[in-house]
Amino acid sequence: MKPRVFSAMQPTADSLQLGNFLGALVEWVKLQDTHDAIYGVVDLHALTVAPEPEVLRRRSRVTAAQFLAAGVDPSRSIVFLQSHVPEHAELAWLLSTFTGMGEAGRMTQFKDKSARVGESGTNVGLFTYPILMAADILLYDTNVVPVGEDQRQHLELSRDLAMRLNARLGEDTVTVPEPHIVKETAKIFDLQEPTKKMSKSFSSPKGIIEILQDPKSVAKNIKAAATDSDAVIAFDRENKAGVSNLLTIYSALDGRSVDQLVADYEGKMYGHLKVDLAEVVVNYLTPIHDAAMEWIESPDRLDAVLADGAERASEIASATLERLYDRVGLLRPSHRR
Ligand code: TRP
């Protein structure tokens, strides 16, 4: 039996950016070959930021569509929406009774987020968010969780909870998950302000590269990227952030190392690099963009994939929850026995 991998994304954007795409989805797709994979769109998590209902619905489909377009294969892996499997919220409640106040209060992402909006603007869901995340993971006897560095502490909480459940309820109660921290091999910066991370919230539309953006406008953004004025193609993050960023993106998509690219572009002009890179990016993104649009434009087909995913996920999740409910001493209704 293959080890199980579980990961998830919140439906909080109308498109993934190139950076999330390369950092997360490319890794998820690879892991399907060696693991039994389950990938979720965690819509319950997204409620913590109070999205407009229509926006949440749209983004839930758009996020799933991008998983599929990237190459997550629903005939092998499970793709589902978190809210379709009620056991997530149910296990989160149980886990919250195993979580210390101090332990939850130490989560730095909550502290950062709540500091930004102030205590009055924050909600309890944001506080218990890592517990819901632990439920996502523990429901599926997950062995490996690929996540970015920013989720390391949340993963640590999931592990602590798993070990606590096993200590209190019996050693084989749940599987203790291992983090698989996806190294940012290609940390991608804003095209206009290349010292800042490329990010929907902080960038102008000209600074970002999105999967669902028209590839022609991606090409335009690359050609208009900010560079310095000394006209030497070299990798120097301190003094030549713009060119270095273009080289990073180029290398991530084309396979040539940054050093090789620098050698290949010796004596050439920035314009030359930009034109070539625009073509590389457009060739890379077009099939993914088109596949995602096809899924988005056939919501019935997409919803059928999600329904099938939810059914397969439920089978695993309900068995786990049943085991836990029984072990903590909840009387099981006779109709379930
Ligand atoms: N918190 C994660 C993020 O913001 C998303 C997430 C929710 C997740 N549940 C998960 C990731 C379970 C991995 C496993 O990126």
Side-chain angles (χ1 to χ4, degrees):
M1 237 174 65
K2 289 180 184 168
R4 173 157 297 143
V5 63
F6 180 95
S7 199
M9 260 184 223
Q10 293 192 64
T12 46
D14 283 319
S15 173
L16 289 178
Q17 285 179 36
L18 184 61
N20 328 121
F21 187 86
L22 295 175
L25 279 185
V26 169
E27 192 66 23
W28 292 11
V29 169
K30 272 195 234 148
L31 284 164
Q32 297 181 110
D33 295 334
T34 46
H35 291 70
D36 175 17
I38 305 181
Y39 298 127
V41 175
V42 284
D43 49 358
L44 297 173
H45 276 102
L47 291 176
T48 56
V49 297
E52 287 299 327
E54 271 316 309
V55 172
L56 178 59
R57 269 189 276 274
R58 181 179 74 237
R59 290 178 171 176
S60 295
R61 286 208 180 99
V62 154
T63 304
Q66 289 173 103
F67 292 4
L68 300 171
V72 172
D73 172 4
S75 70
R76 285 194 283 165
S77 304
I78 295 178
V79 178
F80 76 109
L81 294 190
Q82 184 187 34
S83 67
H84 289 180
V85 181
E87 285 83 359
H88 289 254
E90 294 179 80
L91 180 57
W93 170 256
L94 188 154
L95 292 179
S96 75
T97 68
F98 280 75
T99 309
M101 279 301 285
E103 190 174 35
R106 279 193 292 279
M107 296 292 120
T108 55
Q109 193 173 70
F110 170 73
K111 289 198 271 186
D112 292 348
K113 283 186 188 170
S114 58
R116 235 178 282 143
V117 292
E119 190 167 323
S120 59
T122 191
N123 60 65
V124 174
L126 217 47
F127 184 67
T128 57
Y129 175 117
I131 300 174
L132 180 58
M133 176 165 166
D136 299 340
I137 296 166
L138 301 186
L139 273 178
Y140 298 100
D141 297 318
T142 302
N143 301 105
V144 186
V145 186
V147 281
E149 183 59 43
D150 65 325
Q151 298 297 316
R152 188 189 283 280
Q153 195 188 26
H154 292 163
L155 237 292
E156 210 42 59
L157 177 67
S158 300
R159 285 172 57 79
D160 289 345
L161 284 169
M163 290 187 274
R164 197 168 302 153
L165 290 175
N166 287 341
R168 292 213 209 146
L169 305 174
E171 268 324 309
D172 56 347
T173 301
V174 287
T175 302
V176 180
E178 298 289 336
H180 169 79
I181 304 294
V182 184
K183 295 182 279 1
E184 273 193 292
T185 37
K187 184 163 184 190
I188 297 181
F189 294 85
D190 188 293
L191 296 172
Q192 287 298 319
E193 294 179 72
T195 54
K196 291 196 314 194
K197 197 174 169 196
M198 188 183 284
S199 145
K200 181 83 180 177
S201 12
F202 306 116
S203 300
S204 71
K206 294 181 72 178
I208 54 184
I209 301 175
E210 293 185 329
I211 302 300
L212 296 183
Q213 189 182 351
D214 176 2
K216 281 199 213 87
S217 85
V218 174
K220 245 197 219 159
N221 285 358
I222 289 170
K223 290 178 190 161
T227 41
D228 54 80
S229 56
D230 71 18
V232 176
I233 296 177
F235 191 88
D236 177 350
R237 176 111 344 269
E238 291 272 293
N239 303 305
K240 300 173 72 67
V243 181
S244 302
N245 189 35
L246 296 180
L247 288 166
T248 302
I249 298 170
Y250 205 145
S251 169
L253 300 185
D254 160 288
R256 267 181 284 174
S257 68
V258 166
D259 287 344
Q260 185 61 50
L261 286 165
V262 168
D264 292 349
Y265 278 90
E266 203 194 323
K268 294 191 178 157
M269 291 186 303
Y270 288 165
H272 194 144
L273 174 71
K274 288 180 181 176
V275 168
D276 290 354
L277 175 59
E279 189 182 318
V280 167
V281 175
V282 168
N283 287 341
Y284 182 86
L285 288 184
T286 300
I288 300 164
H289 170 270
D290 292 354
M293 292 316 288
E294 254 179 64
W295 282 108
I296 291 166
E297 282 156 17
S298 31
D300 291 349
R301 212 159 56 94
L302 181 60
D303 291 353
V305 168
L306 295 174
D308 174 65
E311 199 175 308
R312 290 153 65 203
S314 287
E315 218 168 285
I316 305 165
S318 61
T320 306
L321 188 72
E322 195 55 32
R323 183 168 75 241
L324 278 157
Y325 272 6
D326 180 50
R327 291 195 184 185
V328 294
L330 295 172
L331 270 183
R332 307 316 300 134
S334 51
H335 67 265
R336 300 275 287 267
R337 274 196 230 119

